[in-house]
Amino acid sequence: MKPSKNGAEGQQQHAGEPQALELDMEAVRKAGTADLDDGAVTPGYGPYREAIIKLLNSALATELVCVLRYKRHHFTADGLESPAIAAEFLEHANEEAAHADRIAERIVQLGGSPDFNPASLLERSHADYDECTDLKGMLRANLVAERIAVESYRQMVELIGDKDPTTRRMLEGVLAEEEEHADELSDWLRR
């Protein structure tokens, strides 16, 4: 009999048959009892945890800059269609703030510290702040920022891959919402 991956005997594997899916219980127990101060972060997170925290802090800065840009545009939108567009900007600002909260929470879960330092937000953000005064310029600036966010999150999802499935799933959810924002803004620009 061929030993299984966890060293247990008893299951014979024949050519062409899929390998049995079994947990390595020794590794599970070891991970569960090592470094209890790390909370949910087990040794399986490997050497990528710090790099993932850094990626998340740049995403956090991007979301915070987007909140500020959308808030400014919400309050300064002026023109015939401005009430509806301003309402859209406020909705997006609130959704970006929720993204920032989810990202900050994940940074803490990974044992990191979310960087809310306002002095360096623009340096760390992937997207720009904008002070446009016309509606079309505001829509365009926000669409560019959303497209930057879409590409940033797409690359982060690809980079993280299977290294941290929880972070990857969170980022995939944020990415889907950013794509919706971009579609909505694009629709406004085509009107």
Side-chain angles (χ1 to χ4, degrees):
M1 293 205 186
K2 185 177 183 178
S4 65
K5 196 171 193 174
N6 68 0
E9 301 233 5
Q11 289 189 346
Q12 188 172 2
Q13 186 175 348
H14 299 284
E17 287 184 16
Q19 182 176 351
L21 299 176
E22 296 179 13
L23 296 178
D24 180 344
M25 289 311 296
E26 182 181 330
V28 168
R29 287 189 183 92
K30 184 177 178 182
T33 57
D35 301 316
L36 292 177
D37 289 339
D38 289 344
V41 179
T42 63
Y45 279 84
Y48 299 103
R49 187 171 59 91
E50 290 301 322
I52 291 170
I53 290 169
K54 184 176 179 182
L55 285 172
L56 291 176
N57 264 316
S58 68
L60 176 61
T62 303
E63 294 294 344
L64 294 171
V65 168
C66 288
V67 169
L68 296 172
R69 187 188 57 257
Y70 273 124
K71 286 279 193 169
R72 182 184 187 286
H73 290 171
H74 166 73
F75 287 109
T76 61
D78 188 33
L80 193 57
E81 292 190 74
S82 65
I85 293 174
E88 186 82 20
F89 290 159
L90 181 59
E91 183 180 325
H92 287 201
N94 292 335
E95 290 170 355
E96 303 294 353
H99 297 165
D101 290 348
R102 291 197 325 238
I103 292 167
E105 181 179 31
R106 184 62 185 152
I107 290 168
V108 170
Q109 287 172 344
L110 290 170
S113 179
D115 188 349
F116 285 92
N117 185 343
S120 62
L121 276 181
L122 283 173
E123 293 169 20
R124 296 179 288 117
S125 173
H126 304 146
D128 294 327
Y129 183 74
D130 178 77
E131 295 184 359
C132 281
T133 56
D134 65 287
L135 284 177
K136 201 159 200 92
M138 291 177 183
L139 287 165
R140 182 169 165 40
N142 286 311
L143 177 56
V144 167
E146 292 294 354
R147 289 171 52 90
I148 287 170
V150 165
E151 182 60 16
S152 295
Y153 285 120
R154 190 198 63 72
Q155 287 187 26
M156 281 188 244
V157 165
E158 191 175 301
L159 285 169
I160 291 171
D162 292 335
K163 297 169 188 74
D164 180 352
T166 303
T167 298
R168 185 192 69 238
R169 281 192 308 275
M170 179 202 63
L171 292 174
E172 288 170 341
V174 171
L175 171 59
E177 291 171 11
E178 300 293 13
E179 289 173 344
E180 285 177 29
H181 292 173
D183 284 343
E184 292 164 355
L185 293 166
S186 181
D187 289 346
W188 276 108
L189 273 172
R190 282 194 295 264
R191 291 181 186 185

